[in-house]
Amino acid sequence: MIALSRAAARILAPLAALIAVALLAALPARAFETRAQAAWVYDMSTQTVLLDKNADVALPPASMSKLMTINMLFEALRDGRVTPETTFSVSSRAKAMGGSTMFLNETDRPTVMDLVRGMIINSGNDACVVVAEGLAGSEERFSQEMTERARALGMMNSTFANASGWPAEGHRMSMRDLGILAVRLISEFPEYYPIFAETEFNYKDRAPANANNRNPLLRIAASDWRADGLKTGHTSEAGYGLVGSAVMGERRVIFVITGLASDKDRAEESEAIVNWAFRQFTEKTIVKAGARVTDAPVWLGAADTVGLVPAEDVRLLVPAQVQDSVSAEVLFTGPVEAPITAGQQLGELIVHVPDLPDARIPLVAEADVARGGFSKRLTTAAQRLMQQYLSDAGSAEPSPAPAPAS
């Protein structure tokens, strides 16, 4: 059954049947026990966090932090500071970078799109230095700009010492911050995001051994979902990690993991997380936009009540097998004083799903309610005085009985 607080039960009665049909079942979704040192799993469609393990701990991000360099370059593209055809020079510092590279040299003039693919597909450390120097003049200055921009985007546990994720003191990101960054790249740059799903890039045929995208999910032939991003990372300090994204129907799941012991463990854990996220949870429309949830009493209005409705369809992510401890309540301060305008927010619908964050949905006025005329205000005042009189009379102490005559 739907459990309600005593205060909410009276006002939520009309909603009970609506939610009961959608939510009541038998068993809760099983929590995922990840082997990762830290993890964050997020359903982007419903903005629901499905898993949080040490998600706000600042850890070495390895090459996953290249996503911030890519974001900075995408912003430069959007702002018109560069175009896809803009070419950058290659410094001796960029050429000397070790680890994964595009094998650039000082005579090259790679285009912005060459460098984007080099960072995403080849995980090119040299490409990151070229971008940093091309946009900010130096990698040191670019790293400061990355940190400042991260703070502005709400990534409060990210500090950058370089553009590539090369091991460095103080170079840290949290899994939640990486997830926030992934959401941004997907939603803000749809024209460039498909590059994250490309599987091969070999600049000037120089690096066939480093031409393949390392994201293991891009090689999975799942029957009902497909992966399309984002970025792997590995150093001895960080272990193996992945910022991943996968789509099934209209749902998109983003996950971030780190601290796995091997490439094999990363691949297995990533696939298991995606399967769990898609198959243990389902998205449902709980209440349609404009469907009356309850009535709120109106003070000094032309009508005595006003309907409270959601302005948009209420779609929630719920465990595919849900126990009967789902609860819901409506909160508003009433009676609501007239005049009231249709669409004016008057309260919230709060739905509690086991093991998931509460869903808080704004409720708005269904219709206009004008202020009542003089006779209405006079009648309301009289009713209020009578209620107060009856309340005072009922609470008055009875007079003591007279003492018997002696």
Side-chain angles (χ1 to χ4, degrees):
M1 63 177 293
I2 294 182
L4 306 175
S5 69
R6 183 175 301 171
R10 176 181 57 81
I11 58 178
L12 192 56
L15 179 65
L18 291 173
I19 295 185
V21 170
L23 296 186
L24 300 188
L27 297 171
R30 293 175 57 188
F32 188 87
E33 297 293 336
T34 180
R35 293 175 288 173
Q37 176 187 358
W40 191 73
V41 183
Y42 181 72
D43 184 272
M44 188 169 166
S45 306
T46 60
Q47 302 178 30
T48 305
V49 177
L50 304 180
L51 177 65
D52 177 337
K53 178 181 179 181
N54 300 325
D56 292 314
V57 178
L59 298 169
S63 287
M64 295 187 293
S65 70
K66 286 183 171 73
L67 292 178
M68 191 61 190
T69 301
I70 294 165
N71 174 78
M72 300 290 279
L73 184 54
F74 284 176
E75 289 183 354
L77 281 162
R78 184 179 60 188
D79 296 343
R81 287 175 281 143
V82 298
T83 71
E85 294 76 30
T86 298
T87 58
F88 284 173
S89 60
V90 179
S91 67
S92 57
R93 175 174 176 168
K95 178 188 175 183
M97 288 298 296
S100 300
T101 72
M102 288 175 62
F103 293 92
L104 296 171
N105 60 53
E106 292 98 325
T107 63
D108 290 323
R109 293 298 180 269
T111 67
V112 164
M113 297 316 295
D114 288 335
L115 294 166
V116 167
R117 288 183 166 86
M119 290 187 291
I120 292 174
I121 301 170
N122 307 138
S123 196
N125 295 321
D126 51 356
C128 292
V129 175
V130 168
V131 169
E133 294 174 342
L135 290 180
S138 72
E139 189 175 13
E140 290 76 14
R141 176 59 188 161
F142 186 73
S143 300
Q144 295 172 6
E145 293 180 358
M146 290 170 71
T147 301
E148 292 167 3
R149 185 63 180 139
R151 296 288 188 274
L153 294 174
M155 299 158 56
M156 308 310 293
N157 295 302
S158 294
T159 304
F160 301 95
N162 57 59
S164 64
W166 193 263
E169 183 179 355
H171 189 91
R172 298 290 185 268
M173 295 186 76
S174 71
M175 300 307 100
R176 190 188 306 275
D177 282 0
L178 280 162
I180 291 171
L181 188 53
V183 170
R184 175 173 176 77
L185 292 169
I186 293 167
S187 59
E188 293 292 325
F189 305 103
E191 67 272 41
Y192 303 121
Y193 179 69
I195 298 172
F196 284 95
E198 294 181 12
T199 57
E200 185 177 357
F201 178 66
N202 187 2
Y203 181 69
K204 294 188 176 181
D205 199 30
R206 289 181 185 170
N210 193 44
N212 296 321
N213 195 319
R214 292 170 173 77
N215 186 341
L217 292 187
L218 297 180
R219 300 188 290 272
I220 298 294
S223 61
D224 52 358
W225 57 264
R226 62 178 178 83
D228 61 4
L230 293 161
K231 188 72 189 72
T232 59
H234 168 248
T235 64
S236 57
E237 180 185 24
Y240 288 81
L242 173 63
V243 182
S245 176
V247 177
M248 184 172 75
E250 296 182 356
R251 286 185 60 195
R252 177 182 291 277
V253 167
I254 293 169
F255 68 93
V256 190
I257 54 176
T258 193
L260 278 304
S262 68
D263 186 22
K264 179 175 179 291
D265 287 348
R266 175 175 61 190
E268 292 175 350
E269 196 75 358
S270 299
E271 185 175 4
I273 284 175
V274 172
N275 283 328
W276 168 79
F278 281 138
R279 292 165 186 164
Q280 282 290 312
F281 300 89
T282 185
E283 188 177 355
K284 292 185 177 295
T285 299
I286 305 306
V287 186
K288 288 286 190 181
R292 185 178 298 185
V293 171
T294 191
D295 292 302
V298 175
W299 172 250
L300 297 177
D304 293 330
T305 63
V306 63
L308 299 185
V309 302
E312 300 176 350
D313 287 352
V314 179
R315 293 188 63 80
L316 298 180
L317 198 69
V318 297
Q321 297 178 320
V322 182
Q323 63 182 2
D324 62 2
S325 61
V326 172
S327 61
E329 58 185 325
V330 168
L331 297 181
F332 68 86
T333 301
V336 183
E337 185 173 357
I340 298 168
T341 304
Q344 177 182 342
Q345 183 174 343
L346 299 177
E348 281 188 314
L349 168 65
I350 304 175
V351 181
H352 314 285
V353 181
D355 301 320
L356 291 178
D358 288 348
R360 306 181 74 97
I361 300 98
L363 295 177
V364 301
E366 184 178 26
D368 293 337
V369 179
R371 188 171 177 83
F374 176 75
S375 60
K376 174 66 175 180
R377 296 197 299 271
L378 186 62
T379 301
T380 301
Q383 290 173 343
R384 184 65 179 267
L385 287 172
M386 180 59 70
Q387 291 170 353
Q388 186 65 44
Y389 171 77
L390 293 175
S391 175
D392 292 345
S395 62
E397 292 290 336
S399 300
S406 56

